[in-house]
Amino acid sequence: MRGVAFFSGGKDGLYALYLAEKSGIKVPYLLALKTTIELSPHWENLDALKTLAGAMGRELLTFDMARGSDSLANLIASLGVDCIIAGDVLIKDHKKWVEWLAEKAGVEPLEPLWGRDTLGLARGMLREGFEWAIIAVDKRKLPKEALTYAFRSREDLENFLRVYPGVDPVGEFGEFHTVVLASPLFEGRFELEVKSAEESERYHWIRFGLVRA
């Protein structure tokens, strides 16, 4: 089987891709979306996403959601893949959209993380060699001081949860957004190169590059 994976540079999507490939699915395509709902800190750092895609040897596709979900389904259908991979864990509405999109495109939806305990999920990612850093925080849920916090070990995770109790361990409810710095999907690791700190109506976020550590 071949698949295309939703890709924001964040840990959930890349871990879903990793698990899909462990199950034998080949994933040559990564799909980054420009959203229409609000500013996306991931899309604003598209050059960094290109760096990650290059490190993994994958083709990065982009799509502007202003064109609509039907057009997105047509794009997916044109790729000749068997499934679309997403990193949803608990958000039912987004999972339903992925399922609708897959049906429209004539492919299978694959959600390897769905329904998992989020603390166990975060620990599992770290155990498998994933490392990540925070690139955006919801101003209603976390302070800007949490920006750039890096999760490289279980101790980093536990310290974060002590400092910010009540925040979901993987930020499943939008508390924070991340970029992957290391993973089994590419050799070596990256460091954040912060270019500027920004603020939108919802987020404190950073513009950044990725440089080899």
Side-chain angles (χ1 to χ4, degrees):
M1 290 183 68
R2 284 161 41 94
V4 56
F6 282 124
F7 175 70
S8 67
K11 65 193 182 318
D12 300 341
L14 281 189
Y15 192 54
L17 186 162
Y18 170 71
L19 293 178
E21 291 202 324
K22 282 187 72 174
S23 74
I25 297 171
K26 296 184 182 298
V27 187
Y29 303 114
L30 306 176
L31 180 56
L33 303 182
K34 181 181 181 181
T35 65
T36 57
I37 301 172
E38 59 192 11
L39 176 140
S40 168
H42 298 287
W43 184 266
E44 295 295 323
N45 287 289
L46 185 59
D47 284 345
L49 304 194
K50 292 177 181 177
T51 298
L52 271 184
M56 292 187 287
R58 315 300 169 103
E59 183 175 352
L60 178 60
L61 309 174
T62 60
F63 183 85
D64 187 341
M65 286 304 300
R67 295 171 55 193
S69 293
D70 285 332
S71 292
L72 177 57
N74 290 337
L75 170 63
I76 294 167
S78 74
L79 298 176
V81 296
D82 305 292
C83 63
I84 183 163
I85 302 154
D88 299 304
V89 185
L90 299 173
I91 306 301
K92 293 181 179 178
D93 286 347
H94 195 269
K95 181 173 181 285
K96 288 180 180 178
W97 177 73
V98 172
E99 291 170 344
W100 174 89
L101 189 67
E103 182 179 4
K104 191 80 173 177
V107 300
E108 293 294 322
L110 184 61
E111 296 270 12
L113 314 186
W114 183 252
R116 295 199 182 193
D117 169 75
T118 54
L119 179 57
L121 179 58
R123 289 172 174 168
M125 291 180 191
L126 290 165
R127 191 165 54 246
E128 292 278 5
F130 279 75
E131 300 175 10
W132 60 91
I134 294 176
I135 62 163
V137 296
D138 187 324
K139 296 190 293 187
R140 301 166 298 179
K141 300 176 180 180
L142 279 172
K144 63 182 178 182
E145 287 74 20
L147 286 172
T148 73
Y149 187 90
F151 298 79
R152 300 191 184 278
S153 67
R154 183 164 173 165
E155 289 73 23
D156 291 332
L157 174 64
E158 291 172 350
N159 179 64
F160 180 82
L161 297 177
R162 278 196 302 271
V163 175
Y164 303 113
V167 172
D168 186 81
V170 297
E172 176 64 2
F173 302 102
E175 297 98 328
F176 60 91
H177 297 271
T178 64
V179 67
V180 170
L181 302 176
S183 82
L185 294 165
F186 53 85
E187 294 183 358
R189 55 171 41 86
F190 290 98
E191 297 286 354
L192 284 178
E193 183 180 59
V194 178
K195 298 178 180 178
S196 64
E198 307 286 347
E199 184 176 358
S200 67
E201 183 176 349
R202 180 175 180 180
Y203 297 114
H204 290 297
W205 59 285
I206 57 171
R207 294 189 188 277
F208 65 92
L210 291 172
V211 295
R212 286 288 188 177

